[in-house]
Amino acid sequence: MKGSPRRAGFTIIEVVLAMFVLLIGMTTILGLLSFGAATARTAELRAAAANSVSAVLADLQENLFPLVLVDGFEVAGEPLVRRDRPVPGYDELTYSARAVPHPAQAEWPGGALEYRVDVRIHWSAGAGRQAREFTVLLLREVPFGERLRLEFVEGYEPRPPAENPPPGTPPTRDEARR
């Protein structure tokens, strides 16, 4: 006896099962792609934040301590208070900074060499204004490159401090350690 001829092809159950496996695979791949895009965006935002903080620190190192004359010598003066200063290279960011002398050095003749600088970065986001704060330790100095730029490019002439100049120049690092 001959049986009924068998047709070549897939049954409806095999097709539905194959589509289910394909659906699970595509869902997983799309989920990984969206996760990867979110991770890339987070990395981009963190890199931009790190670069903006670096720009703030560079600006502080160059401009926080004015160049003044004390006993005929050019030295770094007392720190300036910065309020809503634009961050170089970042139009949407501003920062404020306040320097506090190291407590052990507050009474040194000529002033402290180390300062704790409290920085607050501001930006607009959505309907409001956002801010983040951080603290950094800076030495009272005017970098050599900034001195050259001030004197030769801008023609800056250092002047004595306006209020009660310190009696002498700041102590050297060796004197500070004693």
Side-chain angles (χ1 to χ4, degrees), residues 123-131:
W123 69 94
S124 296
R129 190 156 163 88
Q130 300 288 322

Side-chain angles (χ1 to χ4, degrees), residues 70-148:
V70 175
D71 296 333
F73 293 100
E74 294 178 358
V75 297
E78 291 299 313
L80 303 172
V81 175
R82 299 293 185 187
R83 285 194 191 359
D84 296 325
R85 183 176 172 93
V87 177
Y90 296 88
D91 297 334
E92 67 281 358
L93 298 177
T94 59
Y95 76 92
S96 300
R98 185 177 59 91
V100 178
H102 188 284
Q105 300 175 0
E107 302 301 320
W108 283 7
L113 291 178
E114 296 175 351
Y115 285 81
R116 185 191 82 223
V117 182
D118 299 317
V119 181
R120 183 178 179 99
I121 298 179
H122 313 272
W123 69 94
S124 296
R129 190 156 163 88
Q130 300 288 322
R132 290 290 181 264
E133 297 177 359
F134 66 94
T135 301
V136 65
L137 183 66
L138 292 178
L139 298 177
R140 185 173 73 177
E141 62 184 0
V142 177
F144 181 71
E146 181 64 12
R147 286 177 187 249
L148 290 178

